[in-house]
Amino acid sequence: MVTVYQREPGRGPGLSRRALLKGSGAALVLVVTGSAVISPQQAWGVEPAALNPETMATLIQMARDVYPHDHVADRFYAIAMKDHDTKAGSEAAHKALIEAGIADLDQRAGEGGYRGVGWEEDRVKLLQDIEATPFFQAVRGGMVVGLYNQKDLWPLFGYEGESFSQGGYLTRGFDDIEWL
Amino acid sequence: MPAPYALTDDSVVVIIGSGAGGGTLANELAQKGVDVVVLEAGPRIEYEDFINDEWDSFGQLAWLDNRTTSGDWRVSKDFPNLPAWIVKAVGGTTTHWAGASLRFQEHEFKTLTNYGPVEGANLLDWPITLADLEPYYAKAEDKMGVTRTNGIEGLPGNNNFKILKAGADKLGYKDCHTGNMAINSDFRDDRMGCQQTGFCFQGCKWGAKWSTLYTEIPKGEATGKLEVRPDSHVIKIEHDDTGKVTGVVYADKDGNLQQQKARIVAVAGNSIESPRLLLNSASSKYPDGLANSSGQVGKNYMRHTTGSVYAVFEQPVHFYRGTTMAGIVRDEARHDPSRGFVGGYELETLALGLPFMAAFLNPGGWGRSFTSALDKYDHMAGMWIVGEDMPQEKNRITLHAELKDKYGMPIPDVAFTDHPNDTAMRNHAYSQGMALYDAVGATRTFPTPPYPSTHNLGTNRMSESPEDGVVNQWGQTHDIANLFVSDGSQFTTGAAENPTLTIVALAIRQAEHIANEMSSGTI
């Protein structure tokens, strides 16, 4: 079972403050510590059950590079990637697909690996080279639902979701455009 | 009260499917005192149980039985096992449809005559004219409560419509309004008016949009002459030595096979399942499938020439608020070969929620070109293109050579490749749609590829001569007098208009014919 920890001030569970602080001196946004991937700045972490934590950290970076939204925090990408850890836990072939895919990506990136490549456009070039692989398509395809169907994400795009319980938009702005 | 009929009762009319064709035919026959059993493959989900959530609703309503695809169409690459976005539930795709209810134009009933032969296209004139269908269009519009008919007011325009209208005005289009919609603009027929909720495709939770689920079917049941059996998937139609059909075999909700006898069978399972069922009912007497002496069963599959244009503006739009199909431009629906293609197309507003926009804006797309579009989701407007596509014999439903469903019946393969006329029309529509949005200040426009088919047509087509098609002008198969087709698969050609109103009009007309023939004892 994978957990994405969102630190809530003053209470557990989740990663300890110490664990969160441990990586805070690093240059990277995502830090692998023990069995977890943490985001010191944003106070959350993910602890994969089947995948290598380094793999998960790279997967999250790759996910952002595939569908980059600068106003969307890493934790949404981490949640989208959880499904691969879950599936890797029950299907050895899927675990192999992800681990080998990330290893290949790191190798293509050279020293420092994929996460060590500083510019998005350079990472995207690496992704374009593997675009046709089952690994890339598994990651990209899974995100269509895994990322964009997160209800917490919708307000960031101005999508209001369910409206029946509020009586629809008949009195709530269905025709409120003023700039035309 | 709904009437329970015995499996052995061979006096009933069995209708397969409960959507626009089947559900309407069932009620019309029941109102005339005919005993009807409707076998619906999907469950009965009442409208209060519909879900305002795109993926959850898709899981609740969509026809997800395995299908395969072939041909050059992009759907086959992006959605290889989802050729069509249609519904498996009581009410069929009338639960999901957007409500656009347009009559065909006169020339569209005579395409071979009016367009002339088109290379590679299997054009044919309908055996009926607009004048033949007009009285039934009028009945259908009254039944469905179509706006701008019968004194019913148009719906108010939402933000997406206002942009469409402003652009249409700038381009000089004259025929732009909030549509002829089978959505109540006010309380009518015991159903409330539209609340502009924005989830038409997910089933209207108010019941404001016409669906057979909560109009035709309960009205038919109230006569005591109609029994609807949900979760009843027909797998074969049976016949006797004389060739007349005698009943059907279906899998009930527990997966057990049942045999229902019938005096008449009407097939209304939409244009993929209907021909599949006729083909799967092959016998030693009919080795190519039922009603297939012409060889046309499954062929001439049409899906309308579609596509979408989305556009981003500087200021917010919130196009997901309100009626999904909130307005129309009809100026391009005419037949005008000077544009480089025969037939015409409609432009109709369309909005998707964020989850489906991510799935459909550019399937397979990724990177900043894709995501920067979604970043402006609440600044988007959108329209859908729906135009006449060319019937082609190679576009067809066939039985899969190896794959079978859980009842052991071959699954359907849906083959489609655009005709050059389809491509020329789509490109014209893209450029007009983008010009329309540019005229009101779009900063970016997106010619978006067709979605899985919602309009599935033509695979049991109507023809004057038995050699050219599967059914006659009444939807009665040329080969078997007591076997009818009652859905959009009857369409000889597709016209530019959304098909539901025509399916309903044909079903009303067919019901009169069946009742008359039953009274006179000819079937």
Side-chain angles (χ1 to χ4, degrees), chain B residues 395-414:
Chain B
N395 290 343
R396 61 188 296 200
I397 312 304
T398 52
L399 300 178
H400 199 282
E402 287 115 37
L403 295 175
K404 294 190 165 51
D405 68 14
K406 60 185 168 184
Y407 312 116
M409 305 307 283
I411 68 166
D413 179 80
V414 182

Side-chain angles (χ1 to χ4, degrees), chain A residues 66-71 120 131 136 148 151 157-161 163-164 168-170 173-177 179, chain B residues 52-53 55 157-159 162 195-197 199 205 315-316 320-321 355 358 365-368 370-371 374-375 377:
Chain A
V66 172
Y67 288 122
H69 295 285
D70 297 339
H71 66 303
E120 178 189 296
E131 189 177 7
F136 179 89
Y148 295 110
K151 289 184 173 58
F157 290 84
Y159 179 52
E160 296 169 88
S163 79
F164 172 77
Y169 292 102
L170 189 57
F174 81 105
D175 62 349
D176 65 357
I177 201 163
W179 55 264
Chain B
N52 268 199
D53 180 293
W55 284 114
N158 66 1
N159 292 337
K162 288 181 173 182
Q195 302 299 300
Q196 301 288 339
T197 298
F199 286 89
K205 283 180 74 68
Q315 302 288 321
Y320 56 84
R321 294 179 183 169
W366 60 280
R368 287 208 177 252
F370 181 83
T371 56
L374 288 184
D375 283 342
Y377 171 78

Side-chain angles (χ1 to χ4, degrees), chain B residues 321-334:
Chain B
R321 294 179 183 169
T323 323
T324 302
M325 204 158 271
I328 186 167
V329 175
R330 304 211 59 186
D331 297 68
E332 302 285 1
R334 70 194 189 281

Side-chain angles (χ1 to χ4, degrees), chain B residues 181-355:
Chain B
M181 305 298 293
I183 298 176
N184 278 354
S185 52
D186 202 351
F187 190 86
R188 187 181 193 268
D189 194 27
D190 285 335
R191 292 182 291 115
M192 62 186 294
C194 174
Q195 302 299 300
Q196 301 288 339
T197 298
F199 286 89
C200 301
F201 284 171
Q202 284 67 40
C204 180
K205 283 180 74 68
W206 307 101
K209 178 185 78 181
W210 180 85
S211 167
T212 55
L213 172 65
Y214 39 83
T215 59
E216 305 309 302
I217 287 167
K219 285 178 186 179
E221 287 173 331
T223 66
K225 291 286 186 177
L226 167 61
E227 179 187 355
V228 176
R229 285 181 212 155
D231 303 299
S232 300
H233 196 149
V234 177
I235 62 170
K236 195 174 184 12
I237 300 170
E238 300 191 309
H239 64 81
D240 62 18
D241 293 342
T242 71
K244 274 178 56 180
V245 298
T246 54
V248 303
V249 176
Y250 69 95
D252 67 17
K253 61 180 174 9
D254 301 315
N256 298 319
L257 295 188
Q258 306 288 349
Q259 186 186 49
Q260 173 66 53
K261 293 291 183 186
R263 177 172 170 184
I264 291 171
V265 172
V267 184
N270 211 313
S271 288
I272 298 174
E273 290 304 312
S274 288
R276 176 194 177 209
L277 179 59
L278 296 180
L279 295 171
N280 267 336
S281 300
S283 63
S284 54
K285 186 174 180 68
Y286 298 117
D288 299 323
L290 299 189
N292 199 18
S293 64
S294 65
Q296 293 290 312
V297 170
K299 291 182 180 169
N300 312 302
Y301 171 67
M302 295 172 286
R303 61 182 310 278
H304 273 144
T305 291
T306 67
S308 304
V309 178
Y310 294 100
V312 166
F313 295 87
E314 282 179 89
Q315 302 288 321
V317 179
H318 299 289
F319 74 150
Y320 56 84
R321 294 179 183 169
T323 323
T324 302
M325 204 158 271
I328 186 167
V329 175
R330 304 211 59 186
D331 297 68
E332 302 285 1
R334 70 194 189 281
H335 169 57
D336 172 7
S338 74
R339 291 174 298 180
F341 52 88
V342 299
Y345 61 87
E346 315 274 355
L347 299 174
E348 302 170 350
T349 76
L350 188 77
L352 297 175
L354 182 75

Side-chain angles (χ1 to χ4, degrees), chain B residues 15-37:
Chain B
I15 300 174
I16 301 159
S18 61
T24 301
L25 178 65
N27 181 34
E28 291 288 316
L29 287 175
Q31 298 295 336
K32 296 176 198 301
V34 175
D35 299 293
V36 179
V37 173

Side-chain angles (χ1 to χ4, degrees), chain B residues 427-445:
Chain B
N427 288 340
H428 189 273
Y430 277 152
S431 66
Q432 290 304 109
M434 291 191 286
L436 185 152
Y437 286 140
D438 285 343
V440 276
T443 56
R444 195 173 163 196
T445 52

